[in-house]
Amino acid sequence: MALLNRRLGLSFTHLSSTVIQRHFSITGACRAIQKLTRVRVVDNSALGNTPYHRPPKCIHVYNKTGVGKVGDKILLAIKGEKKKALIVGHKMPGPTMTPRFDSNNVVLIEDNGNPVGTRIKTPIPYILRQKGEFSKVFAIARNFV
Amino acid sequence: FSLSGCRISGDGKPAKFQPPPKPVIVDKQKQREQRRFLSPEFIPPRGRTDPLKFYMERKDMIQRRKVFNIPEFYVGSILAVTTADPHANEKTSRFVGICIQRGGKGLGATFVLRNVIEGQGVEICYELYSPRIQAIEVLKLEKRLDDNLMYLRDALPEYSTFDVNMKPVSHLDYEEIPVNKLRVRMKPKPWSKRWERPKYNIKGIKFDLPEEKMKEAQKWSQPWLEFDMLREYDTSKIEEKIWKEVSEELNK
């Protein structure tokens, strides 16, 4: 290609500027949590806060539909390990009067429902009390919305 | 002792007595009457529905307003809303935030409040006429340069943080609503929407984009839209009628 350039004495830069730029249209994000969504761990557990070169991702949602909303349990892949987690907030708008967060928040949990961390600084929606038995998660939460 | 004798004019003769200027009396009562605010959800949308439906909805809305005070507020004012929540500690929950959008017409009118708490941005969409709302307090009444502040999601978080315990800023009845001409700085791109495009017509952002990007954004402008006569919806007469109706009912 470079040889051709020199032989013809042209540069192909002017041609590249006239190349039609293809704007890819990507379908809008689901915004609730499903497989392969990157999530943000909000408690102060060591597993959630130590930096790793890959963000924690959801690999399974324990739900009839594969879409996780607030109060659903999911399986997370963090630092090469599998860990269960509880969704405490997502970017998708829910029913009116419920808060919508700017990031998909998740709290790490054991199999029996005990939280791994000891403190949750980010606000937790009140609606979570209605869904399932998460009294231990509320005990460590500081702010409620 | 008066200084009139000491006053010397240019001619050298004693100056003529100038009476002091008459004080301008501004009738605050009249100003208050002239400024009328009709909540935007009263204005019926354009369509072929029977006006009876909107009349019945308005009656219900007025009935609710008689029982519960819904104050005047605009997009950009800071509100504090207390709602009844069965899962909350004291059964009530209070949320403070800036109103970024007012949508819906009639009884389904909503407004979205946004605030950043502990570094986490939270938005709650409240229904104005919901019986779960116990109190709406306007902490700061002001307008912004735009009708829709959705771009605050992509702006730096300092523009959406408001103190939860802030004291209400007093606003006198007859004064005009102050317009906050704040121009917001954005986070680096990508944004959730391309706010630089003329479709959103946003005046409240300080774009730091290069000139070529701004010119490229203008490619999507549709200058014929403002002259499109089929899209016109003149609400002035409808507003007058509805304002008379609503104010009569509320003052009864």
Side-chain angles (χ1 to χ4, degrees):
Chain A
M1 187 70 176
L3 279 172
L4 197 64
N5 251 340
R6 273 189 296 159
R7 251 196 96 198
L8 295 176
L10 307 165
S11 68
F12 282 71
T13 46
H14 72 281
L15 275 182
S16 58
S17 60
T18 50
V19 160
I20 304 159
Q21 283 179 334
R22 267 176 252 160
H23 300 272
F24 291 96
S25 95
I26 304 161
T27 45
C30 160
R31 292 199 281 171
I33 301 180
Q34 57 183 11
K35 286 193 187 180
L36 294 189
T37 38
R38 289 161 291 184
V39 290
R40 178 185 163 211
V41 176
V42 293
D43 57 16
N44 66 345
S45 53
L47 199 55
N49 290 30
T50 40
Y52 192 63
H53 55 88
R54 303 185 70 180
K57 274 192 189 166
C58 168
I59 49 179
H60 189 262
V61 181
Y62 292 103
N63 209 343
K64 281 286 158 75
T65 70
V67 177
K69 302 282 170 88
V70 174
D72 289 333
K73 290 207 189 131
I74 60 172
L75 227 205
L76 227 51
I78 304 183
K79 295 184 76 178
E81 301 168 14
K82 290 185 283 192
K83 197 79 188 173
K84 277 204 184 169
L86 175 73
I87 303 177
V88 290
H90 48 67
K91 274 178 115 173
M92 174 155 172
T96 48
M97 310 288 215
T98 52
R100 183 205 86 101
F101 295 87
D102 274 1
S103 61
N104 299 318
N105 298 339
V106 122
V107 167
L108 293 181
I109 234 175
E110 301 285 351
D111 282 335
N112 51 14
N114 295 348
V116 174
T118 51
R119 243 185 323 181
I120 305 175
K121 265 195 186 170
T122 44
I124 305 279
Y126 281 115
I127 207 88
L128 202 54
R129 276 191 211 261
Q130 197 184 11
K131 313 226 177 150
E133 316 261 315
F134 306 122
S135 49
K136 294 187 190 147
V137 177
F138 297 129
I140 59 172
R142 289 292 176 82
N143 307 331
F144 285 93
V145 171
Chain B
F1 176 72
S2 71
L3 288 164
S4 52
C6 315
R7 237 179 283 164
I8 309 164
S9 66
D11 311 353
K13 295 175 205 162
K16 201 174 166 202
F17 168 66
Q18 299 279 349
K22 283 208 177 122
V24 179
I25 304 167
V26 173
D27 197 0
K28 308 247 165 94
Q29 198 74 22
K30 268 197 183 157
Q31 274 194 330
R32 202 181 304 166
E33 277 162 29
Q34 276 162 20
R35 191 166 80 79
R36 316 193 288 196
F37 172 72
L38 183 67
S39 219
E41 68 266 5
F42 279 105
I43 302 161
R46 202 165 81 131
R48 287 171 57 182
T49 21
D50 203 330
L52 178 68
K53 177 209 172 192
F54 301 121
Y55 174 69
M56 285 165 65
E57 248 189 331
R58 254 177 280 139
K59 266 177 56 175
D60 286 332
M61 283 151 77
I62 293 166
Q63 198 55 40
R64 174 70 181 157
R65 275 180 187 249
K66 281 189 186 165
V67 176
F68 172 72
N69 170 43
I70 298 175
E72 165 190 352
F73 66 96
Y74 303 87
V75 169
S77 0
I78 303 171
L79 308 183
V81 176
T82 31
T83 45
D85 206 331
H87 312 292
N89 282 349
E90 287 100 44
K91 307 295 173 197
T92 56
S93 73
R94 183 172 194 257
F95 186 72
V96 174
I98 184 171
C99 176
I100 53 175
Q101 179 184 272
R102 279 187 86 160
K105 298 282 178 205
L107 285 168
T110 56
F111 63 101
V112 183
L113 292 185
R114 179 183 167 82
N115 201 348
V116 173
I117 310 173
E118 298 274 345
Q120 172 72 60
V122 187
E123 290 177 11
I124 309 189
C125 178
Y126 289 105
E127 282 168 343
L128 268 180
Y129 295 94
S130 166
R132 271 174 65 183
I133 296 186
Q134 289 170 343
I136 304 181
E137 208 187 297
V138 176
L139 297 176
K140 191 171 186 195
L141 182 68
E142 64 175 10
K143 278 192 204 183
R144 290 277 201 121
L145 291 169
D146 305 299
D147 257 343
N148 207 313
L149 298 178
M150 284 293 178
Y151 56 82
L152 286 182
R153 290 177 188 168
D154 298 315
L156 297 171
E158 64 198 34
Y159 295 102
S160 311
T161 26
F162 297 98
D163 184 21
V164 185
N165 304 318
M166 76 189 269
K167 299 279 167 65
V169 171
S170 65
H171 175 260
L172 299 157
D173 220 6
Y174 52 85
E175 271 177 9
E176 293 222 5
I177 307 117
V179 178
N180 192 351
K181 306 218 167 154
L182 175 67
R183 291 180 74 200
V184 143
R185 299 196 82 110
M186 306 291 276
K187 288 194 238 178
K189 274 206 168 197
W191 299 329
S192 57
K193 295 254 175 334
R194 293 174 218 244
W195 301 113
E196 73 274 10
R197 294 219 174 151
K199 163 179 163 190
Y200 298 104
N201 192 20
I202 289 181
K203 300 179 186 100
I205 301 183
K206 194 171 167 63
F207 291 108
D208 284 324
L209 300 169
E211 282 281 325
E212 316 127 4
K213 299 269 176 173
M214 299 301 289
K215 277 198 187 149
E216 206 194 314
Q218 291 302 317
K219 269 202 287 182
W220 279 269
S221 71
Q222 296 173 311
W224 57 86
L225 264 190
E226 60 171 312
F227 302 109
D228 197 340
M229 292 176 76
L230 285 182
R231 279 175 212 260
E232 280 171 8
Y233 183 38
D234 188 21
T235 53
S236 45
K237 290 189 188 135
I238 305 171
E239 263 191 63
E240 290 275 335
K241 267 196 261 175
I242 297 178
W243 165 259
K244 261 196 251 170
E245 195 187 313
V246 169
S247 52
E248 267 170 29
E249 288 287 326
L250 282 177
N251 292 340
K252 268 187 198 167

